[in-house]
Amino acid sequence: MIRFSFLFLFTLLLFSSATGQEATLPPSPPTDVIAKDTPNDAGGSITITWKKSLDDIGTVRAENKVKGYEILRSTESEGEYEVLGKTTAGAQTYFDTHAHNGVPYYYKVRALGIQSFSESLPSAPAKAKAQWIDWRRRYTFLLALILALSIVYFINQAKSGKQLFIRKIAGLEAVEEAVGRATEMGRKIFYIPGISDMDSMQTIAAVTILGQVAKKTAEYEAKLEVPTSRSLVMVSCRETIKEAYSNAGRPDLYNENMVYYLTDDQFGYTAAVDGLFVREKPAAVFLQGQFYAESLILAETGNYVGAIQIAGTAQPAQLPFFVAACDYTLIGEELFAASAYLSRDPKLLGSLKGQDVGKFIFLFFIIVGSLFITFGIYDLSFLFR
C-alpha cells in the first residue's frame, strides 16, 4: 500500500512538471508578415497581414497556446519596435491607421502564449499614401454620371422648346385660385416659410415657391405678408419678393415691411402667427417648408378663420395634419418640384426630369436586388457602397 502511494505521488509530480514546462514554452512565431499601403483610402493607413502561429487553432479556448497577437512597428528594420495594438487569436490582419504618409515602416507580429511569446521576422518596409480614386465606388460614380448626363439631356430638351410632361399637382394648380380669391375679397395672403433656417432644403424650396406666389400677387395686386422665425430667412424672402415684383413689372408695389421677423422661439412664433390669423382673417394661407409640432396649430387656426390653405412639407409626421386641416397639400417631393412646376424654367424642368430618371434607375436596382437576394442569386448592394 505504501509502495503504491509513492508511485502515484511520483507520477503526479512528473505530470505537473511536464504541464508547467509546456505552459512556459513560447508558441511558434507568425510567419510571412506583409505590410502594404491600404488601397482606396486617403492615406495614413497600412495593412499588415501574416500567417498565424502553428499553435494557433483559431479560437480563444483553454487548449489554444496562442492567446492573441501584438503588432509592433519601427522606422528601422533593426531598430526599437513599439507596440501598436493587439488582436485576438485567429486574426491575420491588422490596420495601422496612425501611419504618416511617405514614412517607411517595418512591422513585426508577436504571438502571445500563456507565459511567453515569440516574434516574427520584420516585414519589408511599407509607406502609406493617398489614392486619387476610390475604385470601390466606381459603380456609384457610374450611376452619378448617368444621372448627371440625364439632367443635362433634359435641360437641353427643355431649352430647345420641347414640352416635358409633368403630372398636374392640384395644390400648385390652386395657387392662382387662392391669390385671385384674396384679391376679390380684399384680404391678405399669409405665406409661412416654416420654422427652420436657410440650411434646410425645405426652407430653400419654400423660398423658391414664394417667388412664384409673389409674382402672382404682384400681377393681381394682392396683399402679401410673410412673418418669419429666422432673420436670415427674412432677408432671403425680401430679396425673393423684390425680384418677383420686378419681374412682374410692378416694383412699385414692393414694400420690405411685407416681410418681417417675429421670434426664433417655436411656440412663441406659432402664437404670434395664430394671433395674426385671427386678427387679419386672411383669405389665403400658404404653409410651405419645414414644420414640427406647430403644424396642426397653424393649420387649424387658418381653417378656423376660413382661409383657403395650401400646405407643403417633406416632414412625414406632419403631413397627416396638413391633409386633415388644409385644402391642398404638397406631399414630400412635390414640395421640391413646385418651383419647376410653377416657373416652367428650362433648367428646373430639366433637373426635375433628370432626377426622375435617377429615381427610376435606383428603383429598378432596388426591385431587382430584392428579388436576387430573396432567391439567393446575387447581392447587388455593392453597387451602392
Side-chain angles (χ1 to χ4, degrees):
M1 184 65 185
I2 295 174
R3 183 179 295 174
F4 176 77
S5 299
F6 175 76
L7 286 174
F8 176 76
L9 182 61
F10 180 73
T11 305
L12 184 63
L13 287 173
L14 281 177
F15 178 77
S16 302
S17 175
T19 305
Q21 189 175 7
E22 185 180 352
T24 58
L25 290 175
S28 60
T31 57
D32 295 339
V33 179
I34 299 173
K36 289 183 177 179
D37 172 51
T38 303
N40 302 312
D41 66 355
S45 176
I46 293 177
T47 304
I48 304 108
T49 58
W50 63 89
K51 286 185 179 178
K52 62 185 181 181
S53 166
L54 295 175
D55 296 314
D56 184 358
I57 60 175
T59 56
V60 181
R61 293 188 298 188
E63 62 271 24
N64 190 3
K65 287 182 66 177
V66 177
K67 301 304 176 188
Y69 295 97
E70 274 186 344
I71 315 302
L72 298 93
R73 184 180 75 176
S74 176
T75 54
E76 297 177 1
S77 176
E78 302 299 328
E80 185 177 351
Y81 283 76
E82 61 173 342
V83 177
L84 275 183
K86 292 183 180 179
T87 65
T88 58
Q92 292 180 278
T93 306
Y94 184 85
F95 296 95
D96 176 10
T97 56
H98 296 88
H100 295 285
N101 290 344
V103 177
Y105 290 106
Y106 298 84
Y107 294 90
K108 288 182 179 178
V109 180
R110 178 182 289 169
L112 302 174
I114 299 172
Q115 297 181 6
S116 57
F117 61 83
S118 61
E119 289 181 357
S120 69
L121 294 173
S123 68
K127 297 178 181 178
K129 61 181 179 181
Q131 277 74 47
W132 287 98
I133 299 174
D134 185 350
W135 290 105
R136 295 172 299 181
R137 299 186 178 180
R138 58 188 180 279
Y139 298 110
T140 305
F141 171 74
L142 182 62
L143 293 172
L145 185 63
I146 293 173
L147 178 60
L149 291 176
S150 300
I151 291 173
V152 172
Y153 171 77
F154 283 110
I155 288 176
N156 287 331
Q157 290 286 302
K159 283 184 175 178
S160 66
K162 186 175 182 180
Q163 293 297 320
L164 300 180
F165 172 75
I166 300 178
R167 68 173 176 83
K168 285 190 175 182
I169 301 175
L172 299 177
E173 291 288 319
V175 169
E176 191 161 353
E177 175 193 346
V179 176
R181 182 172 182 262
T183 307
E184 290 173 358
M185 296 176 70
R187 294 183 183 174
K188 290 182 178 177
I189 298 169
F190 273 90
Y191 192 97
I192 313 300
I195 63 166
S196 295
D197 216 329
M198 290 305 296
D199 58 349
S200 166
M201 287 299 297
Q202 295 185 59
T203 306
I204 294 172
V207 173
T208 306
I209 296 170
L210 172 62
Q212 302 305 319
V213 173
K215 191 175 179 181
K216 291 290 180 188
T217 60
E219 291 170 354
Y220 281 80
E221 299 184 10
K223 300 173 183 175
L224 176 64
E225 197 161 319
V226 185
T228 65
S229 66
R230 306 285 175 177
S231 56
L232 192 57
V233 175
M234 179 191 71
V235 175
S236 302
C237 289
R238 280 180 175 173
E239 292 300 318
T240 301
I241 293 174
K242 186 177 181 180
E243 183 181 357
Y245 275 58
S246 297
N247 292 337
R250 297 305 304 270
D252 55 304
L253 295 179
Y254 172 73
N255 182 353
E256 69 173 16
N257 292 329
M258 64 175 61
V259 184
Y260 50 89
Y261 166 80
L262 291 174
T263 174
D264 278 30
D265 182 73
Q266 180 185 12
F267 289 105
Y269 175 75
T270 306
V273 172
D274 278 351
L276 289 168
F277 283 179
V278 173
R279 289 191 297 275
E280 302 286 348
K281 291 188 171 44
V285 171
F286 289 86
L287 301 167
Q288 304 288 330
Q290 194 160 3
F291 293 89
Y292 296 96
E294 73 285 350
S295 60
L296 185 58
I297 301 172
L298 294 172
E300 273 297 309
T301 308
N303 191 314
Y304 172 75
V305 300
I308 180 173
Q309 296 192 103
I310 301 175
T313 185
Q315 297 289 102
Q318 308 307 323
L319 283 171
F321 302 131
F322 281 153
V323 171
C326 297
D327 298 278
Y328 302 96
T329 303
L330 306 181
I331 299 173
E333 291 289 315
E334 291 180 347
L335 174 68
F336 304 109
S339 56
Y341 188 94
L342 291 171
S343 67
R344 297 287 169 178
D345 182 84
K347 292 179 182 176
L348 296 177
L349 283 174
S351 300
L352 186 64
K353 294 294 290 184
Q355 289 173 38
D356 285 345
V357 171
K359 290 172 189 171
F360 175 79
I361 292 172
F362 289 123
L363 186 62
F364 171 79
F365 278 111
I366 289 172
I367 294 174
V368 174
S370 300
L371 291 174
F372 279 7
I373 287 291
T374 301
F375 294 104
I377 299 174
Y378 198 64
D379 184 1
L380 293 178
S381 62
F382 71 92
L383 292 174
F384 303 98
R385 288 173 185 164

